[in-house]
Amino acid sequence: MLFRKSIEPRCTYCQRGAEVDEDHVICAKKGIVSAGSHCRFFQYDPLKRQPSAPAVPDFSKLDDEDFSL
């Protein structure tokens, strides 16, 4: 599955919203609102959602023996 079915609605990634700054979104229905809020007109836009950063592997625990055949 590409996207989770239960995504918490936020104005940041709503189809009707456009980001003004980090904390505010301008909504076609409600005007300027907080980025973390949502309303009943929420429509999810997957292209606006920023995925979390991947985990950085820790190679400090590995030895040269781990990389030899």
Side-chain angles (χ1 to χ4, degrees):
M1 178 179 286
L2 186 59
F3 302 110
R4 294 181 307 178
K5 288 188 178 190
S6 60
I7 294 176
E8 182 182 342
R10 291 183 180 216
C11 290
T12 305
Y13 41 85
C14 178
Q15 190 177 31
R16 291 184 170 96
E19 187 174 341
V20 176
D21 57 23
E22 289 182 8
D23 299 329
H24 296 91
V25 174
I26 186 162
C27 177
K29 296 284 185 178
K30 300 285 183 176
I32 296 178
V33 294
S34 173
S37 65
H38 70 279
C39 66
R40 65 184 179 124
F41 300 109
F42 174 78
Q43 287 186 337
Y44 178 62
D45 185 2
L47 298 178
K48 289 186 179 181
R49 186 135 189 218
Q50 298 291 329
S52 59
V56 178
D58 183 19
F59 295 118
S60 64
K61 298 177 184 176
L62 301 176
D63 298 334
D64 290 336
E65 293 176 4
D66 295 327
F67 295 102
S68 65
L69 295 175

Short mmCIF file of all heavy atoms in Angstrom, two decimals:
data_model
loop_
_atom_site.label_atom_id
_atom_site.label_comp_id
_atom_site.label_asym_id
_atom_site.label_seq_id
_atom_site.Cartn_x
_atom_site.Cartn_y
_atom_site.Cartn_z
N MET A 1 0.85 -1.18 0.00
CA MET A 1 0.00 0.00 0.00
C MET A 1 0.89 1.24 0.00
O MET A 1 1.82 1.35 0.79
CB MET A 1 -0.90 -0.02 1.23
CG MET A 1 -1.76 1.19 1.33
SD MET A 1 -2.85 1.18 2.75
CE MET A 1 -4.03 -0.01 2.20
N LEU A 2 0.59 2.14 -0.87
CA LEU A 2 1.41 3.34 -1.02
C LEU A 2 1.15 4.36 0.09
O LEU A 2 2.07 4.95 0.62
CB LEU A 2 1.15 3.96 -2.38
CG LEU A 2 2.02 5.14 -2.77
CD1 LEU A 2 3.49 4.74 -2.75
CD2 LEU A 2 1.65 5.64 -4.15
N PHE A 3 -0.11 4.55 0.47
CA PHE A 3 -0.46 5.52 1.49
C PHE A 3 -1.29 4.85 2.57
O PHE A 3 -2.05 3.93 2.31
CB PHE A 3 -1.28 6.68 0.90
CG PHE A 3 -0.56 7.41 -0.19
CD1 PHE A 3 -0.98 7.30 -1.50
CD2 PHE A 3 0.53 8.20 0.09
CE1 PHE A 3 -0.32 7.96 -2.51
CE2 PHE A 3 1.20 8.87 -0.91
CZ PHE A 3 0.77 8.75 -2.20
N ARG A 4 -1.14 5.34 3.80
CA ARG A 4 -1.97 4.82 4.89
C ARG A 4 -3.41 5.28 4.69
O ARG A 4 -3.66 6.34 4.14
CB ARG A 4 -1.47 5.35 6.23
CG ARG A 4 -0.11 4.86 6.61
CD ARG A 4 0.28 5.41 7.93
NE ARG A 4 0.15 6.88 7.91
CZ ARG A 4 0.38 7.66 8.93
NH1 ARG A 4 0.75 7.16 10.06
NH2 ARG A 4 0.25 8.96 8.83
N LYS A 5 -4.35 4.47 5.16
CA LYS A 5 -5.75 4.85 5.02
C LYS A 5 -6.18 5.87 6.06
O LYS A 5 -7.05 6.68 5.82
CB LYS A 5 -6.63 3.61 5.12
CG LYS A 5 -6.53 2.73 3.91
CD LYS A 5 -7.55 1.64 3.93
CE LYS A 5 -7.44 0.83 2.66
NZ LYS A 5 -8.53 -0.09 2.51
N SER A 6 -5.57 5.83 7.22
CA SER A 6 -5.96 6.75 8.29
C SER A 6 -4.89 7.83 8.45
O SER A 6 -3.99 7.71 9.27
CB SER A 6 -6.14 5.99 9.60
OG SER A 6 -4.93 5.35 9.95
N ILE A 7 -4.98 8.87 7.67
CA ILE A 7 -4.04 9.98 7.74
C ILE A 7 -4.69 11.10 8.52
O ILE A 7 -5.83 11.48 8.26
CB ILE A 7 -3.64 10.45 6.32
CG1 ILE A 7 -2.85 9.34 5.65
CG2 ILE A 7 -2.87 11.73 6.36
CD1 ILE A 7 -2.49 9.62 4.24
N GLU A 8 -3.95 11.62 9.50
CA GLU A 8 -4.46 12.70 10.33
C GLU A 8 -4.62 13.95 9.47
O GLU A 8 -3.67 14.42 8.86
CB GLU A 8 -3.49 12.97 11.46
CG GLU A 8 -3.94 14.04 12.40
CD GLU A 8 -2.90 14.31 13.48
OE1 GLU A 8 -2.02 13.48 13.69
OE2 GLU A 8 -2.99 15.39 14.08
N PRO A 9 -5.83 14.50 9.38
CA PRO A 9 -6.04 15.68 8.53
C PRO A 9 -5.33 16.91 9.09
O PRO A 9 -5.40 17.19 10.27
CB PRO A 9 -7.55 15.87 8.52
CG PRO A 9 -8.05 15.11 9.67
CD PRO A 9 -7.05 14.05 10.00
N ARG A 10 -4.64 17.63 8.21
CA ARG A 10 -3.97 18.89 8.55
C ARG A 10 -4.06 19.80 7.35
O ARG A 10 -3.97 19.36 6.21
CB ARG A 10 -2.50 18.66 8.89
CG ARG A 10 -2.30 17.94 10.18
CD ARG A 10 -0.85 17.83 10.48
NE ARG A 10 -0.70 17.13 11.74
CZ ARG A 10 0.22 17.40 12.61
NH1 ARG A 10 1.11 18.33 12.36
NH2 ARG A 10 0.29 16.74 13.73
N CYS A 11 -4.18 21.08 7.60
CA CYS A 11 -4.28 22.05 6.52
C CYS A 11 -2.98 22.11 5.70
O CYS A 11 -3.01 22.56 4.56
CB CYS A 11 -4.60 23.43 7.08
SG CYS A 11 -6.28 23.54 7.72
N THR A 12 -1.89 21.66 6.26
CA THR A 12 -0.60 21.70 5.55
C THR A 12 -0.65 20.89 4.27
O THR A 12 -0.10 21.30 3.26
CB THR A 12 0.51 21.14 6.46
OG1 THR A 12 0.50 21.89 7.67
CG2 THR A 12 1.86 21.25 5.80
N TYR A 13 -1.32 19.74 4.27
CA TYR A 13 -1.41 18.92 3.07
C TYR A 13 -2.84 18.73 2.59
O TYR A 13 -3.23 17.66 2.13
CB TYR A 13 -0.68 17.59 3.24
CG TYR A 13 -0.85 16.90 4.56
CD1 TYR A 13 -1.93 16.09 4.82
CD2 TYR A 13 0.11 17.06 5.55
CE1 TYR A 13 -2.06 15.44 6.02
CE2 TYR A 13 -0.03 16.42 6.76
CZ TYR A 13 -1.11 15.62 6.98
OH TYR A 13 -1.24 14.99 8.19
N CYS A 14 -3.61 19.80 2.67
CA CYS A 14 -4.96 19.80 2.12
C CYS A 14 -4.91 20.32 0.69
O CYS A 14 -4.10 21.17 0.34
CB CYS A 14 -5.86 20.71 2.96
SG CYS A 14 -7.55 20.82 2.34
N GLN A 15 -5.79 19.80 -0.13
CA GLN A 15 -5.84 20.20 -1.53
C GLN A 15 -6.25 21.66 -1.69
O GLN A 15 -5.82 22.33 -2.63
CB GLN A 15 -6.84 19.29 -2.25
CG GLN A 15 -6.84 19.43 -3.74
CD GLN A 15 -7.80 18.44 -4.37
OE1 GLN A 15 -8.81 18.09 -3.78
NE2 GLN A 15 -7.49 18.01 -5.56
N ARG A 16 -7.04 22.17 -0.77
CA ARG A 16 -7.54 23.54 -0.87
C ARG A 16 -6.61 24.58 -0.26
O ARG A 16 -6.88 25.76 -0.35
CB ARG A 16 -8.89 23.63 -0.17
CG ARG A 16 -9.98 22.89 -0.88
CD ARG A 16 -11.30 23.11 -0.16
NE ARG A 16 -12.39 22.62 -0.93
CZ ARG A 16 -12.94 21.42 -0.77
NH1 ARG A 16 -12.48 20.61 0.15
NH2 ARG A 16 -13.94 21.04 -1.53
N GLY A 17 -5.51 24.15 0.39
CA GLY A 17 -4.65 25.08 1.08
C GLY A 17 -3.36 25.37 0.34
O GLY A 17 -2.88 24.56 -0.45
N ALA A 18 -2.79 26.52 0.61
CA ALA A 18 -1.48 26.91 0.07
C ALA A 18 -0.66 27.47 1.22
O ALA A 18 -1.14 28.32 1.98
CB ALA A 18 -1.63 27.95 -1.03
N GLU A 19 0.56 27.03 1.35
CA GLU A 19 1.41 27.42 2.48
C GLU A 19 1.84 28.88 2.36
O GLU A 19 2.35 29.31 1.34
CB GLU A 19 2.63 26.52 2.53
CG GLU A 19 3.48 26.72 3.75
CD GLU A 19 4.61 25.73 3.85
OE1 GLU A 19 4.54 24.68 3.20
OE2 GLU A 19 5.56 26.02 4.58
N VAL A 20 1.63 29.64 3.43
CA VAL A 20 2.06 31.03 3.49
C VAL A 20 3.44 31.09 4.14
O VAL A 20 4.35 31.71 3.60
CB VAL A 20 1.05 31.88 4.31
CG1 VAL A 20 1.54 33.30 4.45
CG2 VAL A 20 -0.31 31.85 3.65
N ASP A 21 3.57 30.46 5.29
CA ASP A 21 4.86 30.28 5.96
C ASP A 21 4.79 28.95 6.70
O ASP A 21 3.86 28.16 6.48
CB ASP A 21 5.20 31.46 6.88
CG ASP A 21 4.15 31.72 7.94
OD1 ASP A 21 3.37 30.80 8.28
OD2 ASP A 21 4.11 32.84 8.46
N GLU A 22 5.75 28.68 7.59
CA GLU A 22 5.78 27.38 8.28
C GLU A 22 4.58 27.15 9.17
O GLU A 22 4.16 26.01 9.36
CB GLU A 22 7.05 27.27 9.12
CG GLU A 22 8.31 27.13 8.32
CD GLU A 22 9.52 26.97 9.21
OE1 GLU A 22 9.35 26.82 10.43
OE2 GLU A 22 10.63 27.01 8.67
N ASP A 23 4.00 28.19 9.72
CA ASP A 23 2.93 28.05 10.70
C ASP A 23 1.53 28.37 10.18
O ASP A 23 0.55 28.13 10.88
CB ASP A 23 3.21 28.96 11.90
CG ASP A 23 4.50 28.59 12.60
OD1 ASP A 23 4.85 27.40 12.58
OD2 ASP A 23 5.15 29.50 13.15
N HIS A 24 1.42 28.92 8.96
CA HIS A 24 0.12 29.34 8.47
C HIS A 24 -0.12 28.86 7.04
O HIS A 24 0.80 28.74 6.24
CB HIS A 24 -0.01 30.87 8.51
CG HIS A 24 0.04 31.40 9.90
ND1 HIS A 24 1.21 31.78 10.50
CD2 HIS A 24 -0.94 31.60 10.80
CE1 HIS A 24 0.95 32.20 11.73
NE2 HIS A 24 -0.36 32.11 11.94
N VAL A 25 -1.40 28.61 6.75
CA VAL A 25 -1.85 28.16 5.44
C VAL A 25 -3.02 29.03 5.04
O VAL A 25 -3.86 29.38 5.87
CB VAL A 25 -2.29 26.67 5.49
CG1 VAL A 25 -2.90 26.23 4.19
CG2 VAL A 25 -1.12 25.79 5.87
N ILE A 26 -3.09 29.39 3.76
CA ILE A 26 -4.25 30.13 3.27
C ILE A 26 -5.19 29.11 2.62
O ILE A 26 -4.80 28.36 1.75
CB ILE A 26 -3.87 31.27 2.31
CG1 ILE A 26 -5.10 32.09 1.97
CG2 ILE A 26 -3.21 30.76 1.07
CD1 ILE A 26 -4.79 33.45 1.42
N CYS A 27 -6.40 29.08 3.13
CA CYS A 27 -7.41 28.10 2.71
C CYS A 27 -8.43 28.77 1.81
O CYS A 27 -8.81 29.92 2.04
CB CYS A 27 -8.08 27.51 3.94
SG CYS A 27 -9.42 26.35 3.59
N ALA A 28 -8.89 28.06 0.79
CA ALA A 28 -9.90 28.60 -0.11
C ALA A 28 -11.24 28.77 0.60
O ALA A 28 -12.05 29.63 0.20
CB ALA A 28 -10.07 27.68 -1.31
N LYS A 29 -11.50 27.99 1.65
CA LYS A 29 -12.78 28.06 2.35
C LYS A 29 -12.73 28.92 3.61
O LYS A 29 -13.67 29.64 3.91
CB LYS A 29 -13.22 26.65 2.77
CG LYS A 29 -13.51 25.74 1.61
CD LYS A 29 -14.83 26.09 0.99
CE LYS A 29 -15.19 25.10 -0.09
NZ LYS A 29 -16.48 25.37 -0.67
N LYS A 30 -11.62 28.85 4.37
CA LYS A 30 -11.56 29.48 5.69
C LYS A 30 -10.63 30.68 5.79
O LYS A 30 -10.59 31.34 6.81
CB LYS A 30 -11.11 28.45 6.73
CG LYS A 30 -12.02 27.26 6.86
CD LYS A 30 -13.27 27.65 7.60
CE LYS A 30 -14.15 26.44 7.81
NZ LYS A 30 -15.32 26.74 8.60
N GLY A 31 -9.82 30.95 4.77
CA GLY A 31 -8.87 32.06 4.84
C GLY A 31 -7.56 31.61 5.45
O GLY A 31 -7.14 30.48 5.28
N ILE A 32 -6.88 32.48 6.19
CA ILE A 32 -5.60 32.13 6.81
C ILE A 32 -5.87 31.38 8.10
O ILE A 32 -6.55 31.86 8.99
CB ILE A 32 -4.76 33.39 7.07
CG1 ILE A 32 -4.39 34.05 5.74
CG2 ILE A 32 -3.50 33.04 7.85
CD1 ILE A 32 -3.61 35.31 5.86
N VAL A 33 -5.30 30.15 8.18
CA VAL A 33 -5.49 29.27 9.33
C VAL A 33 -4.15 28.70 9.76
O VAL A 33 -3.15 28.79 9.05
CB VAL A 33 -6.48 28.13 9.01
CG1 VAL A 33 -7.87 28.66 8.77
CG2 VAL A 33 -6.01 27.33 7.83
N SER A 34 -4.14 28.09 10.93
CA SER A 34 -2.94 27.43 11.43
C SER A 34 -2.65 26.19 10.60
O SER A 34 -3.57 25.51 10.13
CB SER A 34 -3.16 27.03 12.89
OG SER A 34 -2.09 26.25 13.34
N ALA A 35 -1.38 25.87 10.40
CA ALA A 35 -0.98 24.73 9.56
C ALA A 35 -1.41 23.40 10.17
O ALA A 35 -1.65 22.43 9.46
CB ALA A 35 0.52 24.74 9.33
N GLY A 36 -1.54 23.32 11.48
CA GLY A 36 -1.90 22.07 12.14
C GLY A 36 -3.40 21.85 12.27
O GLY A 36 -3.83 20.78 12.70
N SER A 37 -4.19 22.81 11.93
CA SER A 37 -5.63 22.66 12.07
C SER A 37 -6.23 21.96 10.85
O SER A 37 -5.54 21.66 9.88
CB SER A 37 -6.28 24.03 12.26
OG SER A 37 -6.11 24.82 11.10
N HIS A 38 -7.53 21.70 10.91
CA HIS A 38 -8.25 21.13 9.77
C HIS A 38 -9.74 21.47 9.91
O HIS A 38 -10.19 21.90 10.96
CB HIS A 38 -8.05 19.61 9.70
CG HIS A 38 -8.72 18.86 10.80
ND1 HIS A 38 -8.16 18.74 12.04
CD2 HIS A 38 -9.90 18.20 10.84
CE1 HIS A 38 -8.97 18.02 12.80
NE2 HIS A 38 -10.03 17.70 12.11
N CYS A 39 -10.47 21.29 8.83
CA CYS A 39 -11.91 21.55 8.86
C CYS A 39 -12.63 20.43 8.11
O CYS A 39 -12.00 19.50 7.61
CB CYS A 39 -12.23 22.91 8.24
SG CYS A 39 -11.88 23.03 6.48
N ARG A 40 -13.91 20.53 7.99
CA ARG A 40 -14.69 19.46 7.35
C ARG A 40 -14.51 19.45 5.84
O ARG A 40 -14.93 18.51 5.18
CB ARG A 40 -16.16 19.60 7.71
CG ARG A 40 -16.82 20.85 7.19
CD ARG A 40 -18.25 20.94 7.68
NE ARG A 40 -18.86 22.16 7.18
CZ ARG A 40 -19.97 22.18 6.48
NH1 ARG A 40 -20.62 21.09 6.23
NH2 ARG A 40 -20.45 23.33 6.07
N PHE A 41 -13.90 20.47 5.27
CA PHE A 41 -13.67 20.54 3.83
C PHE A 41 -12.34 19.90 3.42
O PHE A 41 -11.94 19.98 2.27
CB PHE A 41 -13.68 21.99 3.36
CG PHE A 41 -14.98 22.70 3.63
CD1 PHE A 41 -15.05 23.68 4.61
CD2 PHE A 41 -16.12 22.38 2.93
CE1 PHE A 41 -16.22 24.33 4.88
CE2 PHE A 41 -17.31 23.03 3.20
CZ PHE A 41 -17.37 24.00 4.17
N PHE A 42 -11.63 19.27 4.37
CA PHE A 42 -10.31 18.70 4.12
C PHE A 42 -10.35 17.67 2.99
O PHE A 42 -11.20 16.79 2.97
CB PHE A 42 -9.79 18.03 5.39
CG PHE A 42 -8.49 17.30 5.20
CD1 PHE A 42 -7.30 18.00 5.14
CD2 PHE A 42 -8.46 15.93 5.06
CE1 PHE A 42 -6.10 17.33 4.97
CE2 PHE A 42 -7.28 15.26 4.88
CZ PHE A 42 -6.10 15.96 4.83
N GLN A 43 -9.44 17.83 2.03
CA GLN A 43 -9.23 16.85 0.97
C GLN A 43 -7.74 16.59 0.87
O GLN A 43 -6.96 17.52 0.62
CB GLN A 43 -9.77 17.34 -0.37
CG GLN A 43 -11.27 17.33 -0.44
CD GLN A 43 -11.74 17.70 -1.84
OE1 GLN A 43 -11.03 18.34 -2.60
NE2 GLN A 43 -12.95 17.29 -2.15
N TYR A 44 -7.34 15.34 1.07
CA TYR A 44 -5.93 14.98 1.13
C TYR A 44 -5.27 15.12 -0.24
O TYR A 44 -5.78 14.65 -1.25
CB TYR A 44 -5.81 13.54 1.63
CG TYR A 44 -4.40 13.05 1.69
CD1 TYR A 44 -3.46 13.65 2.52
CD2 TYR A 44 -3.99 11.97 0.94
CE1 TYR A 44 -2.17 13.20 2.59
CE2 TYR A 44 -2.70 11.49 1.01
CZ TYR A 44 -1.80 12.12 1.84
OH TYR A 44 -0.51 11.67 1.90
N ASP A 45 -4.10 15.77 -0.26
CA ASP A 45 -3.28 15.89 -1.46
C ASP A 45 -1.93 15.24 -1.16
O ASP A 45 -1.11 15.81 -0.45
CB ASP A 45 -3.08 17.36 -1.82
CG ASP A 45 -2.34 17.55 -3.13
OD1 ASP A 45 -2.00 16.55 -3.78
OD2 ASP A 45 -2.09 18.71 -3.50
N PRO A 46 -1.68 14.02 -1.68
CA PRO A 46 -0.44 13.31 -1.34
C PRO A 46 0.82 14.00 -1.84
O PRO A 46 1.90 13.75 -1.31
CB PRO A 46 -0.62 11.95 -2.01
CG PRO A 46 -1.66 12.13 -3.04
CD PRO A 46 -2.53 13.25 -2.56
N LEU A 47 0.74 14.88 -2.80
CA LEU A 47 1.92 15.56 -3.32
C LEU A 47 2.42 16.66 -2.38
O LEU A 47 3.56 17.09 -2.48
CB LEU A 47 1.65 16.13 -4.70
CG LEU A 47 1.29 15.10 -5.77
CD1 LEU A 47 0.99 15.79 -7.08
CD2 LEU A 47 2.42 14.10 -5.94
N LYS A 48 1.59 17.12 -1.46
CA LYS A 48 1.99 18.16 -0.52
C LYS A 48 2.63 17.59 0.74
O LYS A 48 3.24 18.32 1.49
CB LYS A 48 0.79 19.01 -0.12
CG LYS A 48 0.30 19.90 -1.24
CD LYS A 48 -0.77 20.80 -0.73
CE LYS A 48 -1.24 21.73 -1.84
NZ LYS A 48 -2.29 22.63 -1.36
N ARG A 49 2.48 16.31 0.96
CA ARG A 49 2.99 15.70 2.19
C ARG A 49 4.48 15.44 2.07
O ARG A 49 4.95 14.87 1.10
CB ARG A 49 2.26 14.40 2.46
CG ARG A 49 2.62 13.81 3.78
CD ARG A 49 1.39 13.35 4.48
NE ARG A 49 1.72 12.97 5.84
CZ ARG A 49 1.17 11.97 6.44
NH1 ARG A 49 0.26 11.24 5.83
NH2 ARG A 49 1.50 11.68 7.67
N GLN A 50 5.25 15.85 3.07
CA GLN A 50 6.70 15.64 3.12
C GLN A 50 6.98 14.36 3.89
O GLN A 50 6.63 14.26 5.06
CB GLN A 50 7.40 16.82 3.81
CG GLN A 50 7.23 18.13 3.11
CD GLN A 50 7.97 18.19 1.79
OE1 GLN A 50 9.01 17.57 1.63
NE2 GLN A 50 7.43 18.92 0.85
N PRO A 51 7.62 13.37 3.26
CA PRO A 51 7.93 12.14 4.01
C PRO A 51 9.02 12.40 5.04
O PRO A 51 9.84 13.32 4.89
CB PRO A 51 8.42 11.19 2.91
CG PRO A 51 8.88 12.06 1.81
CD PRO A 51 8.05 13.31 1.87
N SER A 52 9.03 11.58 6.07
CA SER A 52 10.06 11.73 7.09
C SER A 52 11.41 11.28 6.54
O SER A 52 11.48 10.49 5.61
CB SER A 52 9.71 10.92 8.34
OG SER A 52 9.59 9.56 7.98
N ALA A 53 12.47 11.79 7.11
CA ALA A 53 13.82 11.46 6.65
C ALA A 53 14.14 10.00 6.97
O ALA A 53 13.76 9.49 8.02
CB ALA A 53 14.83 12.37 7.32
N PRO A 54 14.85 9.31 6.07
CA PRO A 54 15.20 7.91 6.35
C PRO A 54 16.22 7.82 7.48
O PRO A 54 16.99 8.76 7.73
CB PRO A 54 15.80 7.42 5.03
CG PRO A 54 16.24 8.65 4.32
CD PRO A 54 15.31 9.74 4.77
N ALA A 55 16.21 6.69 8.15
CA ALA A 55 17.14 6.49 9.26
C ALA A 55 18.56 6.38 8.74
O ALA A 55 18.82 5.77 7.70
CB ALA A 55 16.77 5.23 10.02
N VAL A 56 19.50 6.95 9.47
CA VAL A 56 20.91 6.92 9.08
C VAL A 56 21.53 5.66 9.68
O VAL A 56 21.46 5.45 10.89
CB VAL A 56 21.63 8.18 9.60
CG1 VAL A 56 23.10 8.13 9.25
CG2 VAL A 56 20.99 9.43 9.05
N PRO A 57 22.14 4.82 8.84
CA PRO A 57 22.74 3.59 9.39
C PRO A 57 23.97 3.90 10.23
O PRO A 57 24.73 4.82 9.94
CB PRO A 57 23.11 2.78 8.14
CG PRO A 57 23.16 3.76 7.04
CD PRO A 57 22.25 4.89 7.39
N ASP A 58 24.17 3.10 11.27
CA ASP A 58 25.30 3.27 12.18
C ASP A 58 26.33 2.18 11.89
O ASP A 58 26.14 1.02 12.26
CB ASP A 58 24.84 3.19 13.63
CG ASP A 58 25.97 3.44 14.61
OD1 ASP A 58 26.99 4.02 14.20
OD2 ASP A 58 25.82 3.06 15.79
N PHE A 59 27.41 2.54 11.20
CA PHE A 59 28.44 1.58 10.82
C PHE A 59 29.58 1.51 11.84
O PHE A 59 30.53 0.76 11.66
CB PHE A 59 29.03 1.93 9.45
CG PHE A 59 28.03 1.81 8.33
CD1 PHE A 59 27.67 2.92 7.58
CD2 PHE A 59 27.44 0.60 8.03
CE1 PHE A 59 26.76 2.82 6.55
CE2 PHE A 59 26.52 0.48 7.01
CZ PHE A 59 26.18 1.59 6.27
N SER A 60 29.49 2.27 12.91
CA SER A 60 30.57 2.30 13.89
C SER A 60 30.70 0.97 14.64
O SER A 60 31.77 0.66 15.15
CB SER A 60 30.38 3.44 14.87
OG SER A 60 29.20 3.24 15.62
N LYS A 61 29.65 0.19 14.72
CA LYS A 61 29.68 -1.08 15.45
C LYS A 61 30.23 -2.22 14.61
O LYS A 61 30.44 -3.31 15.12
CB LYS A 61 28.27 -1.43 15.92
CG LYS A 61 27.70 -0.43 16.89
CD LYS A 61 26.29 -0.78 17.26
CE LYS A 61 25.69 0.29 18.16
NZ LYS A 61 24.30 0.02 18.47
N LEU A 62 30.46 -2.00 13.32
CA LEU A 62 30.92 -3.07 12.44
C LEU A 62 32.45 -3.09 12.36
O LEU A 62 33.12 -2.07 12.45
CB LEU A 62 30.34 -2.88 11.04
CG LEU A 62 28.81 -2.88 10.97
CD1 LEU A 62 28.35 -2.58 9.57
CD2 LEU A 62 28.25 -4.22 11.43
N ASP A 63 32.99 -4.27 12.16
CA ASP A 63 34.44 -4.47 12.00
C ASP A 63 34.78 -4.80 10.56
O ASP A 63 33.88 -4.98 9.72
CB ASP A 63 34.93 -5.61 12.91
CG ASP A 63 34.70 -5.32 14.37
OD1 ASP A 63 34.65 -4.13 14.73
OD2 ASP A 63 34.55 -6.29 15.16
N ASP A 64 36.06 -4.93 10.28
CA ASP A 64 36.51 -5.34 8.93
C ASP A 64 36.06 -6.78 8.62
O ASP A 64 35.82 -7.12 7.47
CB ASP A 64 38.02 -5.24 8.80
CG ASP A 64 38.48 -3.78 8.77
OD1 ASP A 64 37.64 -2.93 8.39
OD2 ASP A 64 39.65 -3.52 9.11
N GLU A 65 35.91 -7.59 9.63
CA GLU A 65 35.49 -8.98 9.43
C GLU A 65 34.06 -9.05 8.89
O GLU A 65 33.71 -9.98 8.20
CB GLU A 65 35.57 -9.73 10.76
CG GLU A 65 36.98 -9.91 11.26
CD GLU A 65 37.00 -10.58 12.63
OE1 GLU A 65 35.91 -10.96 13.11
OE2 GLU A 65 38.08 -10.69 13.21
N ASP A 66 33.26 -8.08 9.21
CA ASP A 66 31.88 -8.06 8.73
C ASP A 66 31.80 -7.82 7.22
O ASP A 66 30.80 -8.16 6.60
CB ASP A 66 31.08 -6.97 9.46
CG ASP A 66 30.94 -7.25 10.95
OD1 ASP A 66 30.87 -8.45 11.31
OD2 ASP A 66 30.94 -6.29 11.73
N PHE A 67 32.85 -7.26 6.64
CA PHE A 67 32.83 -6.93 5.22
C PHE A 67 33.67 -7.91 4.38
O PHE A 67 33.83 -7.71 3.20
CB PHE A 67 33.35 -5.50 4.99
CG PHE A 67 32.44 -4.47 5.61
CD1 PHE A 67 32.77 -3.86 6.82
CD2 PHE A 67 31.26 -4.12 5.00
CE1 PHE A 67 31.94 -2.91 7.38
CE2 PHE A 67 30.41 -3.18 5.55
CZ PHE A 67 30.76 -2.57 6.75
N SER A 68 34.19 -8.94 5.00
CA SER A 68 35.00 -9.92 4.26
C SER A 68 34.18 -11.16 3.95
O SER A 68 33.23 -11.48 4.67
CB SER A 68 36.26 -10.28 5.04
OG SER A 68 35.89 -10.93 6.24
N LEU A 69 34.57 -11.86 2.87
CA LEU A 69 33.87 -13.08 2.50
C LEU A 69 34.50 -14.25 3.11
O LEU A 69 35.29 -14.87 3.19
CB LEU A 69 33.80 -13.21 0.98
CG LEU A 69 32.97 -12.14 0.31
CD1 LEU A 69 33.08 -12.29 -1.21
CD2 LEU A 69 31.51 -12.27 0.73
#
